[in-house]
Amino acid sequence: MTSVSLPIPTVGVPLPGRGCDCNSCAFYAGPDGRGGPATVEPLCTGQNSDCRFCGCSAAEADAPANACVTRKCPIRCGSRTDIAGWMADVGGTLTFDDISVDSTLPAGLPSFIPMTDGSAVTKLDASLNWPAYGVGLRRVFSPDTHTLYKRFTEQTARQALSLGDHQKAVLVGYGEDPLVEAFWTRRGRDRLVERIAEQEWDLVLSCNYSIYGDWPRTEHLLNMRRSLMLAQEFAEAGVNVVPNVYWFRLEDLQRYLSWIEDTQPAGIAINVQTVRDNADWDSWERPGLHFLAENLPEDMPVILTGLSRANRIAEMAQIFGPRLTLISQNPHQYALHGAIMTANGREDVHARSEDAFAATVQYMASLLPSR
């Protein structure tokens, strides 16, 4: 007798295959792009060869109903005993077809935006009068209490940073996984999106949900959709927002391009601050950025967060040109130690923090095309 692998009951929504079994997965594109035996949405060309979780015991038929929750496993895969709940949480689909981010970019953004610690920039900005400042999500949404800090709920973002009327406040919605996961989980109950809208940020870069090479493709697909969904929620709350894009395969980039062509967002944001070593940069991030530079609409603004090496900045400036905006916390981090960034790298000059900050901001801005 030949055994036949049947898909998990879908409870009204398509579900990924248990144990990353492509033949039982609702999202398998198949060898010819037309799907497999259980395909509902052909989005994925197959499991990750480097995945560390495909042998999880929760894939076994006799696994307890609450096995994943009991073990507090953070990985969302087809073997999760609560995967139907996660699929329902993202709207019962992993496509981008129902998502649009109707927003605009504020006028007057500089090509370089330094990030600070969320306190008043009066001292750091004294000699600069810089057009815009960025603040990371963890300075606004507490990683300890998972609540918004009072200093940002009791006044506008511009007031909290002591910015002038001509200066822009940018919320960089990136953070470590526990922080952005907590934001996702609590955003509805605590009205986080609406309350951030009340802070009157001039621009918000929406959260990015992680894509790791040794995680299941289901996790990738869920996180790409969540990143765009959250951007849509900010836009619907009246926020000037740019969606974050993260990818792992060429097919992911191609899906983004189709979505961008259909919906025409105000721009895209890409968080590159986690790509430190040259191997990941050269094999993954850099090729993807070149692909986007070649295939995005020529007038599509691109905001990169986290580049800190002069050679990488110069390369991105070359391929994206004047549509590139760079956001970095380097000036602030260096200034805390009296150091500056130069063409020779970091130099510990023991300068006053405000002088060191201004020097690095001006140097990093000089690496980017003028507008």
Side-chain angles (χ1 to χ4, degrees), residues 190-207:
D190 296 342
R191 299 184 61 254
L192 295 177
V193 170
E194 294 81 4
R195 292 170 66 196
I196 285 178
E198 293 169 358
Q199 297 170 11
E200 300 181 9
W201 295 90
D202 295 285
L203 178 65
V204 170
L205 308 188
S206 187
C207 297

Side-chain angles (χ1 to χ4, degrees), residues 116 118-123 125-126 129-130 133 151-152 155-169:
T116 71
S119 57
V121 301
T122 308
K123 184 178 179 181
D125 188 56
N129 195 27
W130 206 251
Y133 283 91
R151 67 184 312 268
F152 283 99
Q155 57 189 334
T156 67
R158 185 178 286 105
Q159 289 169 339
L161 299 177
S162 296
L163 296 178
D165 291 340
H166 63 289
Q167 294 175 302
K168 304 292 190 296

Side-chain angles (χ1 to χ4, degrees), residues 282-341:
D282 290 334
S283 66
W284 171 53
E285 193 82 50
R286 185 169 176 252
L289 291 167
H290 275 262
F291 180 85
L292 289 171
E294 183 176 350
N295 291 282
L296 284 171
E298 292 184 357
D299 59 349
M300 173 67 64
V302 175
I303 302 174
L304 299 183
T305 299
L307 284 185
S308 58
R309 302 182 192 180
N311 63 324
R312 292 185 182 182
I313 295 172
E315 182 179 1
M316 293 302 104
Q318 180 180 17
I319 66 173
F320 286 113
R323 60 177 166 164
L324 174 65
T325 297
L326 175 62
I327 299 179
S328 175
Q329 56 186 352
N330 260 33
H332 189 264
Q333 288 182 330
Y334 281 21
L336 293 175
H337 304 283
I340 62 174
M341 181 177 175

